[in-house]
Amino acid sequence: MIKLQKTTFIFLIFLFANCKKNDYDIEFNKQVLTEILPSIIDSTCVDIRIFSNAPPPYGKMLFDKEGRYVKIDSTKASAEEIQRLKNWKKDVAEIEKDTSKVIIAFEPKISPYEKEYELIVTKDFPKDTLKKLIVNKTKEYVLNYKNIRLNGKFKLKNINEFDRENIFEKKYKFNFSGILRVSGIKFDLKKENGILEVGFTCGRECGYGRTVFIKKVNSKWKIIKMEKTWIS
């Protein structure tokens, strides 16, 4: 009986310690994501009014003898093309001067980084030494993003306030630009390097994903590398 009680006691201590560790891991994840999120937004999100507004054709396309495209000769632009380009530049300048916020639908429910194994490159290794990251066992959590101070013109709005099924078809009274989703962060053993996934969707067939590598530099978390993972 005494042996059973000891075994139960040890198990409860282990269980409690494990719960405390999980709580710490989640809080640490939240803390770092809160710190790095403004930089992620600046590096990932776009103002769809500019992003989807490509410059008009300008000049004459030149081809070689085999019919392969070489370049565009801008000196051959027609008067109509010149005027269209002027109008386009004016429109873009007006948008850039607009001080109203660009709204991004944000998913506050943060899921763990799903890949079991990854490689990270840090600038401390000139030969691109690869470091293994530990498996992240952090559970799903909700990020309190409303008090995060962003750097630019973007503003986050909970995606649950939108009609998810028709989010890109609705007409809004504000400048809506897309949906941002981020994963939790997987760290190395020393918690000095991390990796996470970011996805930005700007339309039904418009968007891209990136793997973001972060590093603690002088007690602050910095983005050190971003790799494209998908595009549509």
Side-chain angles (χ1 to χ4, degrees):
M1 183 69 178
I2 295 175
K3 185 176 181 181
L4 178 62
Q5 288 178 337
K6 284 184 177 180
T7 303
T8 304
F9 182 69
I10 293 172
F11 173 75
L12 289 174
I13 291 177
F14 174 79
L15 185 63
F16 178 76
N18 193 53
C19 289
K20 294 291 286 183
K21 180 180 183 301
N22 286 339
D23 289 344
Y24 167 76
D25 287 343
I26 289 175
E27 288 306 312
F28 185 72
N29 225 285
K30 287 181 180 179
Q31 176 188 336
V32 177
L33 187 55
T34 296
E35 182 179 340
I36 202 71
L37 190 61
S39 296
I40 289 174
I41 291 172
D42 290 343
S43 304
T44 305
C45 298
V46 296
D47 187 336
I48 195 64
R49 295 173 297 172
I50 295 176
F51 185 72
S52 62
N53 185 14
Y58 187 84
K60 183 179 180 181
M61 296 179 68
L62 302 180
F63 301 86
D64 61 19
K65 293 179 180 179
E66 283 73 34
R68 291 172 297 195
Y69 170 76
V70 178
K71 65 177 182 178
I72 292 179
D73 185 354
S74 59
T75 64
K76 304 292 185 181
S78 66
E80 185 178 354
E81 288 176 330
I82 292 172
Q83 186 58 50
R84 279 205 300 263
L85 184 62
K86 285 182 180 179
N87 293 340
W88 176 81
K89 288 182 177 180
K90 182 180 178 181
D91 291 342
V92 171
E94 288 297 321
I95 295 171
E96 290 176 340
K97 286 191 298 183
D98 184 7
T99 57
S100 59
K101 292 294 184 179
V102 176
I103 304 301
I104 304 295
F106 180 68
E107 175 56 81
K109 189 180 292 183
I110 309 299
S111 298
Y113 185 89
E114 294 181 348
K115 296 179 182 177
E116 290 297 312
Y117 173 81
E118 267 296 349
L119 297 172
I120 186 168
V121 182
T122 69
K123 62 183 180 181
D124 291 338
F125 300 93
K127 294 182 180 180
D128 287 348
T129 302
L130 300 176
K131 293 185 66 178
K132 291 183 180 179
L133 294 175
I134 61 172
V135 175
N136 186 357
K137 296 181 180 179
T138 302
K139 296 180 180 179
E140 183 178 86
Y141 63 84
V142 175
L143 182 70
N144 182 11
Y145 65 91
K146 292 186 177 180
N147 294 325
I148 299 177
R149 187 173 180 178
L150 304 184
N151 302 319
K153 65 167 104 176
F154 298 108
K155 181 179 180 180
L156 300 181
K157 189 177 181 70
N158 195 317
I159 193 172
N160 295 316
E161 297 179 35
F162 293 82
D163 176 1
R164 288 177 181 249
E165 294 297 321
N166 304 290
I167 193 168
F168 294 110
E169 286 71 39
K170 292 281 187 179
K171 299 296 182 183
Y172 303 100
K173 294 181 180 179
F174 48 82
N175 297 320
F176 172 65
S177 200
I179 303 169
L180 177 69
R181 291 185 174 89
V182 300
S183 75
I185 306 169
K186 184 192 286 186
F187 296 96
D188 62 3
L189 288 171
K190 293 183 178 180
K191 287 186 166 55
E192 295 176 346
N193 300 283
I195 186 172
L196 68 151
E197 293 290 328
V198 175
F200 182 72
T201 309
C202 42
R204 293 297 176 192
E205 296 182 358
C206 172
Y208 42 85
R210 292 171 177 170
T211 298
V212 181
F213 300 90
I214 62 175
K215 181 176 180 63
K216 196 172 185 179
V217 181
N218 297 326
S219 300
K220 292 186 178 181
W221 287 92
K222 306 284 186 182
I223 295 175
I224 59 170
K225 186 178 181 182
M226 299 184 82
E227 290 182 351
K228 292 181 180 179
T229 53
W230 60 271
I231 188 168
S232 65

